[in-house]
């Protein structure tokens, strides 16, 4: 598999290099040089497979012979040990529940595949994973890499801007997992990660890598659950399928669009955001004008400069798809609350991110279409918000209950690269 840097097409790397390196020169994202596709018969054969077999086939289509098919299958089997069920919410709408993994969020899929692929390609060379999180990525990455030989993980997150239970899930592990609360928002954390990757001496000294959705292995892993969703639908539903994706850094939507590029029949995608609506405004006006990030109920989507957007534009360019075919909607906190209550009346408990995706879908679904929205996190991960909005008490699932009373092991730093660099250089070897 060859990939090229979106900011410098002359920089081309193998899949293994892209996994180890994360970003290219000038902080450029890697993108596949070849876009594989399956014909209708192959799609039907894929949809008849189980999750692990199908996912291994999809990943092999991208990776090619760089990693043996059997090795890919074994890595996928270790990573995907939990289901992704489609649950009916209304007659014409279902939700793909992606929160049945160890950290109760969709990021478990990408994080665990990345850990397996890095183990496959890194050999004995020490690696330091440096990543930023707006909530769920941190937990997924921490648990996926916890205890792995020759891997240190450093996770930056905005202090006081993720839910307490999200924080407990990944800031209580210790060992090879180091967590840093930054005095700033997610974009500030992301900017610090980029500065670190621009520091060549630091990169070499630490063997820096990133586990954000910018890493191609995470992105390819996320393609797999779109196929898993379609496998659970009737042929009629598949043929009129509309998918609404709660969007922050836009990795999830990028993966869905890559699934469509592979041949998965999706009529259209909806980019559903909160008040951090850079992409909806861009699609409406053609002007890229990020505003200052604002805090919302759906904090994992509080991103005003989504990293993965260049990949989406590149895919649309390569496939000759018009950007106007991508639907979009930005949902306010007030409407998010109303929607959570509306879903509860229908018998479905949702947290804010899923509610936003449902609202954007319900607002635009046409007669005869079947809608699917992504449930990206277990409601209990946003226990305080859900309980306040729905006036109910949520029981804690075991994964959260086991960590709820443990002490936080985080360090605290300003949004300044110098102290972060010193911290990274002082990490135990």
């Amino acid at each position: 598999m060859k990939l090229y840097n979106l900011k410098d097409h002359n920089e081309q790397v193998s899949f293994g290099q892209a996994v180890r390196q994360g970003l290219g020169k000038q902080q450029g994202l890697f993108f596949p040089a070849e876009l594989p596709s399956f014909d209708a018969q192959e799609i039907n054969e894929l949809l008849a497979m189980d999750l692990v077999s199908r996912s291994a086939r999809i990943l092999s289509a991208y990776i090619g012979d760089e990693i043996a098919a059997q090795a890919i299958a074994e890595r996928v089997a270790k990573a995907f040990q939990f289901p992704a069920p489609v649950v009916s919410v209304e007659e014409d709408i279902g939700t793909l529940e992606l929160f049945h993994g160890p950290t109760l969020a969709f990021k478990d899929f990408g994080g665990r595949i990345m850990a397996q692929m890095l183990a496959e390609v890194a050999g004995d060379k020490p690696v330091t994973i440096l990543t930023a999180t707006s909530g769920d990525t941190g937990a997924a990455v921490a648990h996926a890499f916890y205890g792995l030989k020759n891997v240190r993980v450093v996770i930056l997150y905005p202090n006081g801007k993720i839910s307490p239970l999200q924080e407990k899930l990944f800031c209580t592990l210790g060992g090879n997992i180091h967590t840093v609360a930054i005095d700033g928002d997610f974009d500030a954390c992301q900017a610090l990660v980029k500065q670190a990757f621009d520091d060549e001496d630091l990169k070499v000294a630490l063997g820096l890598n990133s586990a954000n959705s910018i890493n191609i292995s995470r992105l390819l892993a996320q393609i797999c659950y779109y196929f898993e969703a379609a496998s659970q639908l009737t042929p009629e539903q598949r043929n009129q399928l509309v998918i609404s994706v709660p969007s922050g850094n836009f990795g999830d939507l990028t993966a869905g669009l890559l699934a469509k590029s592979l041949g998965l029949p999706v009529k259209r995608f909806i980019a559903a955001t909160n008040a951090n609506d850079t992409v909806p405004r861009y699609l409406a006006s053609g002007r890229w004008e990020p505003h200052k990030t604002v805090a919302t109920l759906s904090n994992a989507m509080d991103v005003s400069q989504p990293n993965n957007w260049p990949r989406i534009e590149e895919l649309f360019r390569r496939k000759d798809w018009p950007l106007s075919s991508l639907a979009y909607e930005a949902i306010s906190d007030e409407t998010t609350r109303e929607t959570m209550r509306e879903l509860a009346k229908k018998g479905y408990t949702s947290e804010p991110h899923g509610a936003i995706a449902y609202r954007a879908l319900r607002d635009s679904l046409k007669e005869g279409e079947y809608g699917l929205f992504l449930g990206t996190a277990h409601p209990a991960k946003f226990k305080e918000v859900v309980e306040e909005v729905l006036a109910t008490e949520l029981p804690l699932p075991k994964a959260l209950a086991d960590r709820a009373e443990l002490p936080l092991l985080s360090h605290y730093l300003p949004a300044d690269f110098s102290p972060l660099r010193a911290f990274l250089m002082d990490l135990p070897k």
Side-chain angles (χ1 to χ4, degrees):
M1 179 188 190
K2 286 292 181 187
L3 301 105
Y4 59 92
N5 181 342
L6 289 181
K7 288 189 175 178
D8 179 359
H9 289 202
N10 292 320
E11 184 184 8
Q12 299 213 1
V13 297
S14 67
F15 173 73
Q17 285 175 283
V19 172
R20 290 189 298 268
Q21 203 172 316
L23 282 167
K25 297 171 185 172
Q26 304 170 52
Q27 302 172 0
L29 300 171
F30 289 120
F31 194 81
E34 299 292 330
L35 291 172
S37 63
F38 300 110
D39 62 29
Q41 181 179 336
E42 289 171 320
I43 292 291
N44 287 333
E45 290 170 358
L46 282 169
L47 295 178
M49 295 178 179
D50 63 84
L51 171 61
V52 169
S53 301
R54 182 194 314 113
S55 300
R57 177 75 183 85
I58 289 167
L59 292 177
S60 289
Y62 281 100
I63 297 170
D65 58 7
E66 189 177 331
I67 300 176
Q70 182 59 33
I72 291 174
E74 289 169 2
R75 294 293 179 180
V76 172
K78 288 179 182 177
F80 292 174
Q81 297 183 340
F82 43 89
V86 171
V87 175
S88 180
V89 175
E90 297 177 34
E91 186 178 351
D92 58 348
I93 291 181
T95 181
L96 175 63
E97 290 189 345
L98 298 171
F99 48 75
H100 294 278
T103 71
L104 309 176
F106 78 104
K107 304 282 176 87
D108 282 325
F109 286 89
R112 289 168 68 83
I113 281 288
M114 183 185 168
Q116 291 299 319
M117 291 301 172
L118 190 61
E120 182 73 29
V121 303
D124 292 329
K125 190 175 180 183
V127 172
T128 301
I129 302 289
L130 175 64
T131 193
T133 185
S134 56
D136 289 330
T137 293
V141 168
H143 284 259
F145 285 90
Y146 181 59
L148 278 190
K149 183 184 174 186
N150 290 329
V151 179
R152 293 180 299 186
V153 178
V154 180
I155 302 168
L156 311 185
Y157 66 97
N159 190 23
K161 293 183 172 66
I162 68 173
S163 81
L165 284 170
Q166 280 181 316
E167 192 173 22
K168 287 282 188 176
L169 204 46
F170 70 94
C171 297
T172 55
L173 289 168
N176 65 325
I177 309 299
H178 308 272
T179 54
V180 184
I182 297 294
D183 185 16
D185 57 21
F186 172 74
D187 288 316
C189 298
Q190 199 156 250
L192 288 170
V193 170
K194 287 183 175 181
Q195 280 183 272
F197 277 90
D198 273 347
D199 186 324
E200 289 300 324
D201 291 340
L202 189 68
K203 271 173 70 174
V204 171
L206 299 180
L208 272 190
N209 195 307
S210 177
N212 275 50
S213 53
I214 53 179
N215 193 290
I216 195 66
S217 60
R218 274 195 51 192
L219 195 61
L220 296 183
Q222 291 175 261
I223 295 171
C224 300
Y225 51 67
Y226 286 93
F227 279 81
E228 174 65 10
S231 77
Q232 298 174 52
L233 305 180
T234 66
E236 294 74 24
Q237 290 169 335
R238 286 179 207 155
N239 290 335
Q240 292 292 320
L241 181 58
V242 178
I243 302 179
S244 180
V245 183
S247 300
N249 222 9
F250 278 75
D252 219 347
L253 182 59
T254 306
L257 291 163
L258 285 169
K260 180 180 173 72
S261 170
L262 273 172
L264 189 69
V266 180
K267 190 173 180 182
R268 70 177 178 280
F269 281 92
I270 303 169
T273 75
N274 56 27
N276 296 286
D277 59 349
T278 303
V279 167
R281 288 185 291 105
Y282 173 66
L283 292 171
S285 70
R287 294 189 300 275
W288 187 261
E289 298 175 333
H291 294 164
K292 183 176 170 52
T293 305
V294 297
T296 73
L297 288 178
S298 46
N299 65 281
M301 290 156 55
D302 290 350
V303 182
S304 62
Q305 302 198 52
N307 258 346
N308 276 291
W309 183 252
R311 281 183 171 139
I312 291 179
E313 290 204 302
E314 182 72 355
L315 180 61
F316 273 70
R317 183 189 70 79
R318 292 269 304 273
K319 300 293 290 187
D320 200 24
W321 294 341
L323 267 179
S324 58
S325 64
L326 180 58
Y328 55 88
E329 188 169 357
I331 307 296
S332 69
D333 274 0
E334 182 183 358
T335 302
T336 301
R337 288 188 178 92
E338 291 171 3
T339 305
M340 289 169 66
R341 295 186 192 106
E342 183 182 325
L343 282 166
K345 287 177 183 174
K346 296 177 186 293
Y348 190 79
T349 302
S350 177
E351 47 70 52
H353 307 77
I356 283 174
Y358 167 81
R359 181 77 271 154
L361 181 64
R362 183 72 278 168
D363 287 349
S364 69
L365 202 64
K366 299 179 177 65
E367 188 175 347
E369 293 179 336
Y370 183 79
L372 201 62
F373 68 96
L374 269 53
T376 50
H378 192 290
K381 292 195 80 171
F382 299 90
K383 182 177 169 68
E384 295 82 1
V385 171
V386 174
E387 289 185 339
E388 181 262 321
V389 171
L390 300 184
T392 188
E393 189 169 333
L394 285 182
L396 280 184
K398 188 176 187 305
L400 288 174
D402 287 351
R403 311 209 75 81
E405 301 305 319
L406 295 177
L408 294 175
L409 303 175
S410 292
H411 304 266
Y412 297 86
L413 291 175
D416 182 348
F417 182 61
S418 293
L420 174 63
R421 190 184 195 282
F423 172 81
L424 292 171
M425 292 300 289
D426 286 341
L427 284 173
K429 296 292 186 282

